[in-house]
Protein backbone atom coordinates (compact mmCIF):
# COMPACT_ATOMS: atom_id res chain seq x y z
CA UNK A 1 0.00 0.00 0.00
CA UNK A 2 1.35 3.44 -0.91
CA UNK A 3 2.24 5.76 1.90
CA UNK A 4 1.74 9.51 2.09
CA UNK A 5 3.09 11.07 -1.09
CA UNK A 6 4.41 14.60 -1.21
CA UNK A 7 5.76 16.71 -4.02
CA UNK A 8 8.04 18.32 -4.83
CA UNK A 9 10.76 16.81 -2.63
CA UNK A 10 12.94 19.88 -3.10
CA UNK A 11 12.15 23.43 -4.14
CA UNK A 12 14.44 26.44 -4.43
CA UNK A 13 12.89 29.83 -5.02
CA UNK A 14 13.75 33.48 -4.63
CA UNK A 15 12.11 35.49 -1.88
CA UNK A 16 8.76 37.05 -2.71
CA UNK A 17 7.95 34.23 -5.13
CA UNK A 18 4.98 31.92 -4.54
CA UNK A 19 5.37 28.20 -3.87
CA UNK A 20 2.96 25.30 -3.48
CA UNK A 21 3.29 21.84 -1.98
CA UNK A 22 1.03 18.92 -2.70
CA UNK A 23 0.11 15.97 -0.51
CA UNK A 24 -1.73 12.74 -1.30
CA UNK A 25 -2.67 10.96 1.94
CA UNK A 26 -3.13 7.24 2.49
CA UNK A 27 -6.38 6.06 0.97
CA UNK A 28 -9.22 6.14 3.49
CA UNK A 29 -7.50 8.46 5.93
CA UNK A 30 -9.89 11.20 6.97
CA UNK A 31 -7.44 13.36 8.88
CA UNK A 32 -4.63 15.25 7.20
CA UNK A 33 -1.90 17.37 8.80
CA UNK A 34 0.67 19.86 7.58
CA UNK A 35 3.74 20.32 9.76
CA UNK A 36 6.70 22.67 9.43
CA UNK A 37 10.14 21.49 10.52
CA UNK A 38 13.06 23.84 10.93
CA UNK A 39 16.59 22.48 11.01
CA UNK A 40 17.36 20.78 14.31
CA UNK A 41 13.83 21.22 15.63
CA UNK A 42 10.81 18.96 15.99
CA UNK A 43 7.89 19.33 13.60
CA UNK A 44 5.36 22.08 14.37
CA UNK A 45 1.72 21.71 13.41
CA UNK A 46 0.47 24.26 10.86
CA UNK A 47 -3.01 22.95 10.08
CA UNK A 48 -5.13 19.87 10.53
CA UNK A 49 -8.06 18.73 8.39
CA UNK A 50 -10.90 16.40 9.21
CA UNK A 51 -12.18 15.52 5.72
CA UNK A 52 -12.57 18.90 3.98
CA UNK A 53 -12.79 20.95 7.17
CA UNK A 54 -9.83 22.66 8.77
CA UNK A 55 -10.35 21.80 12.45
CA UNK A 56 -7.16 23.42 13.74
CA UNK A 57 -5.37 26.19 11.83
CA UNK A 58 -4.36 28.33 14.77
CA UNK A 59 -0.64 27.99 13.95
CA UNK A 60 -0.96 28.81 10.25
CA UNK A 61 0.37 32.31 9.40
CA UNK A 62 -2.64 33.36 7.43
CA UNK A 63 -1.13 36.49 5.94
CA UNK A 64 1.03 34.44 3.57
CA UNK A 65 0.13 30.78 4.05
CA UNK A 66 -2.99 29.09 2.77
CA UNK A 67 -4.10 25.49 2.52
CA UNK A 68 -6.95 23.58 1.02
CA UNK A 69 -8.21 20.03 0.92
CA UNK A 70 -10.72 19.76 -1.85
CA UNK A 71 -12.99 16.71 -1.80
CA UNK A 72 -11.36 15.61 1.44
CA UNK A 73 -8.47 13.79 -0.23
CA UNK A 74 -5.43 15.62 -1.64
CA UNK A 75 -4.22 18.82 -0.08
CA UNK A 76 -2.10 21.76 -1.13
CA UNK A 77 -0.17 24.20 1.02
CA UNK A 78 0.73 27.53 -0.52
CA UNK A 79 3.05 30.31 0.52
CA UNK A 80 2.72 33.69 -1.16
CA UNK A 81 5.01 35.54 -1.02
CA UNK A 82 7.81 33.42 0.42
CA UNK A 83 10.28 34.93 2.87
CA UNK A 84 13.80 33.85 3.77
CA UNK A 85 12.57 32.49 7.11
CA UNK A 86 10.22 30.07 5.36
CA UNK A 87 13.15 27.83 4.42
CA UNK A 88 12.28 24.54 6.11
CA UNK A 89 10.88 21.09 5.50
CA UNK A 90 7.12 20.91 5.06
CA UNK A 91 5.72 17.57 6.20
CA UNK A 92 2.34 16.12 5.41
CA UNK A 93 0.80 13.36 7.51
CA UNK A 94 -2.48 11.48 7.55
CA UNK A 95 -4.37 9.29 9.98
CA UNK A 96 -7.59 7.30 9.93
CA UNK A 97 -9.19 9.74 12.32
CA UNK A 98 -8.36 12.44 14.88
CA UNK A 99 -6.97 9.93 17.39
CA UNK A 100 -5.20 7.53 15.04
CA UNK A 101 -1.52 6.93 14.44
CA UNK A 102 0.05 9.47 12.07
CA UNK A 103 1.75 8.40 8.87
CA UNK A 104 4.16 10.99 7.50
CA UNK A 105 5.40 11.67 4.01
CA UNK A 106 9.07 12.29 3.26
CA UNK A 107 8.55 16.04 3.27
CA UNK A 108 9.18 18.91 0.87
CA UNK A 109 12.37 20.84 1.51
CA UNK A 110 12.04 24.53 0.69
CA UNK A 111 14.99 26.85 0.25
CA UNK A 112 14.26 30.55 -0.15
CA UNK A 113 17.14 32.64 -1.51
CA UNK B 1 -0.85 20.58 26.63
CA UNK B 2 1.47 18.74 29.01
CA UNK B 3 5.17 18.87 28.18
CA UNK B 4 7.83 16.17 28.01
CA UNK B 5 11.54 16.40 28.79
CA UNK B 6 14.10 14.24 27.01
CA UNK B 7 17.91 14.25 26.89
CA UNK B 8 19.22 15.97 23.78
CA UNK B 9 21.39 13.04 22.74
CA UNK B 10 22.40 9.50 23.62
CA UNK B 11 24.91 6.99 22.34
CA UNK B 12 24.69 3.24 22.11
CA UNK B 13 26.72 0.37 20.75
CA UNK B 14 25.30 -1.83 18.06
CA UNK B 15 23.45 -4.93 19.30
CA UNK B 16 23.17 -3.58 22.83
CA UNK B 17 19.91 -2.50 24.50
CA UNK B 18 19.03 1.18 24.59
CA UNK B 19 16.87 2.89 27.18
CA UNK B 20 15.54 6.28 26.12
CA UNK B 21 14.03 8.22 29.05
CA UNK B 22 11.20 10.73 29.02
CA UNK B 23 9.84 12.83 31.89
CA UNK B 24 6.27 14.08 31.85
CA UNK B 25 5.49 15.21 35.37
CA UNK B 26 2.36 17.19 34.38
CA UNK B 27 0.71 14.31 32.54
CA UNK B 28 -3.06 14.10 32.95
CA UNK B 29 -5.21 11.01 33.29
CA UNK B 30 -6.34 11.01 29.66
CA UNK B 31 -2.89 11.58 28.13
CA UNK B 32 -1.43 8.69 26.18
CA UNK B 33 2.36 8.48 25.87
CA UNK B 34 3.41 8.22 22.23
CA UNK B 35 6.83 7.66 20.74
CA UNK B 36 7.77 8.54 17.19
CA UNK B 37 11.16 8.47 15.57
CA UNK B 38 12.63 10.30 12.61
CA UNK B 39 15.36 8.78 10.50
CA UNK B 40 17.63 11.17 8.56
CA UNK B 41 15.85 12.81 5.62
CA UNK B 42 12.58 11.03 6.44
CA UNK B 43 9.31 12.02 8.03
CA UNK B 44 8.63 10.80 11.58
CA UNK B 45 7.28 7.27 12.02
CA UNK B 46 5.19 5.80 14.80
CA UNK B 47 6.99 3.53 17.25
CA UNK B 48 4.70 2.72 20.16
CA UNK B 49 2.20 4.18 22.59
CA UNK B 50 0.68 3.36 25.97
CA UNK B 51 -1.46 4.65 28.80
CA UNK B 52 -0.60 2.88 32.05
CA UNK B 53 0.66 -0.63 31.39
CA UNK B 54 3.94 -1.54 29.75
CA UNK B 55 3.63 -2.21 26.03
CA UNK B 56 5.58 -4.34 23.58
CA UNK B 57 5.59 -4.45 19.81
CA UNK B 58 7.92 -5.60 17.09
CA UNK B 59 9.89 -2.35 17.18
CA UNK B 60 10.29 -1.61 20.88
CA UNK B 61 8.98 -1.79 24.42
CA UNK B 62 7.52 1.02 26.47
CA UNK B 63 7.94 0.99 30.23
CA UNK B 64 5.67 3.42 32.09
CA UNK B 65 6.33 4.40 35.69
CA UNK B 66 3.62 3.60 38.20
CA UNK B 67 2.88 7.31 38.78
CA UNK B 68 3.02 7.88 34.99
CA UNK B 69 5.36 10.84 35.42
CA UNK B 70 8.07 9.20 33.39
CA UNK B 71 8.50 6.50 30.77
CA UNK B 72 11.29 4.68 28.96
CA UNK B 73 11.46 3.50 25.38
CA UNK B 74 13.50 0.33 25.15
CA UNK B 75 15.19 -0.88 21.98
CA UNK B 76 16.25 -4.42 22.82
CA UNK B 77 19.12 -4.69 20.33
CA UNK B 78 20.16 -1.46 18.67
CA UNK B 79 21.12 -1.59 15.02
CA UNK B 80 22.73 1.10 12.89
CA UNK B 81 19.33 1.64 11.33
CA UNK B 82 17.96 2.74 14.73
CA UNK B 83 20.06 5.92 14.63
CA UNK B 84 17.38 8.60 14.62
CA UNK B 85 15.70 11.35 16.61
CA UNK B 86 13.22 9.86 19.09
CA UNK B 87 10.26 11.96 20.17
CA UNK B 88 8.24 11.34 23.33
CA UNK B 89 4.83 12.99 23.00
CA UNK B 90 1.73 13.22 25.17
CA UNK B 91 -1.51 12.98 23.27
CA UNK B 92 -4.85 13.70 24.87
CA UNK B 93 -7.38 11.02 24.13
CA UNK B 94 -11.11 11.53 23.88
CA UNK B 95 -10.54 15.07 22.77
CA UNK B 96 -11.36 16.68 19.48
CA UNK B 97 -7.85 18.05 19.47
CA UNK B 98 -5.65 15.03 20.14
CA UNK B 99 -2.89 16.69 18.17
CA UNK B 100 0.73 15.61 18.33
CA UNK B 101 3.04 18.32 19.67
CA UNK B 102 6.67 17.44 19.05
CA UNK B 103 9.54 18.62 21.24
CA UNK B 104 13.18 18.48 20.22
CA UNK B 105 13.54 14.78 20.93
CA UNK B 106 16.59 12.65 21.68
CA UNK B 107 19.15 12.09 18.95
CA UNK B 108 20.34 8.50 19.22
CA UNK B 109 23.73 7.63 17.80
CA UNK B 110 24.52 3.94 17.33
CA UNK B 111 28.16 2.97 17.08
CA UNK B 112 29.29 -0.18 15.26
Amino acid sequence: EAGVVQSPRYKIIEKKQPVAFWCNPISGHNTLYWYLQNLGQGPELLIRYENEEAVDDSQLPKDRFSAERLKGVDSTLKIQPAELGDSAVYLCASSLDLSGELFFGEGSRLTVL
Amino acid sequence: DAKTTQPNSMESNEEEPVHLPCNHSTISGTDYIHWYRQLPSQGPEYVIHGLTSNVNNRMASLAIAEDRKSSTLILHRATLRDAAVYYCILRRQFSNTGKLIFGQGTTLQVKP
Side-chain angles (χ1 to χ4, degrees):
Chain A
E1 182 184 341
V4 175
V5 179
Q6 292 187 245
S7 69
R9 281 295 315 270
Y10 304 93
K11 187 75 176 179
I12 302 173
I13 60 172
E14 304 223 333
K15 63 181 179 182
K16 300 185 182 179
Q17 295 299 306
V19 64
F21 304 110
W22 173 80
C23 174
N24 178 235
I26 292 173
S27 177
H29 281 195
N30 296 320
T31 310
L32 184 145
Y33 310 75
W34 282 103
Y35 280 84
L36 159 73
Q37 186 169 28
N38 288 305
L39 189 65
Q41 305 292 316
E44 301 168 34
L45 181 67
L46 288 173
I47 189 168
R48 182 174 58 169
Y49 282 93
E50 182 67 13
N51 297 310
E52 305 88 6
E53 182 185 358
V55 297
D56 184 356
D57 63 355
S58 56
Q59 302 302 311
L60 189 72
K62 298 181 183 62
D63 56 336
R64 298 183 300 107
F65 285 66
S66 64
E68 60 182 9
R69 192 184 183 198
L70 299 176
K71 301 182 181 178
V73 182
D74 293 0
S75 178
T76 56
L77 176 70
K78 298 177 181 178
I79 308 174
Q80 182 171 10
E83 297 179 353
L84 295 176
D86 296 331
S87 295
V89 175
Y90 292 83
L91 293 160
C92 179
S94 70
S95 62
L96 274 174
D97 52 40
L98 281 174
S99 61
E101 168 190 344
L102 271 66
F103 293 83
F104 283 83
E106 291 185 304
S108 295
R109 180 178 295 277
L110 174 66
T111 302
V112 182
L113 302 176
Chain B
D1 296 294
K3 280 192 169 181
T4 64
T5 304
Q6 299 177 252
N8 287 334
S9 62
M10 291 185 66
E11 280 186 0
S12 170
N13 294 317
E14 197 176 10
E15 298 190 6
E16 290 186 357
V18 181
H19 291 231
L20 296 163
C22 180
N23 287 320
H24 28 79
S25 58
T26 59
I27 191 170
S28 77
T30 56
D31 285 339
Y32 277 73
I33 302 158
H34 288 248
W35 284 81
Y36 280 71
R37 73 178 186 180
Q38 188 170 22
L39 302 171
S41 300
Q42 301 287 320
E45 64 176 347
Y46 168 83
V47 177
I48 200 167
H49 77 281
L51 183 63
T52 55
S53 303
N54 294 344
V55 184
N56 300 296
N57 67 19
R58 64 174 180 82
M59 289 182 72
S61 296
L62 177 60
I64 302 172
E66 200 170 327
D67 64 5
R68 300 213 320 128
K69 294 185 176 183
S70 65
S71 61
T72 302
L73 179 71
I74 303 166
L75 307 178
H76 295 287
R77 285 183 71 225
T79 68
L80 296 178
R81 199 192 169 278
D82 291 321
V85 180
Y86 287 78
Y87 297 99
C88 170
I89 304 163
L90 299 183
R91 192 179 192 191
R92 188 145 297 172
Q93 210 68 351
F94 308 122
S95 163
N96 65 357
T97 54
K99 55 190 175 184
L100 284 182
I101 299 177
F102 289 81
Q104 290 196 309
T106 297
T107 299
L108 175 66
Q109 186 178 7
V110 180
K111 296 184 287 186

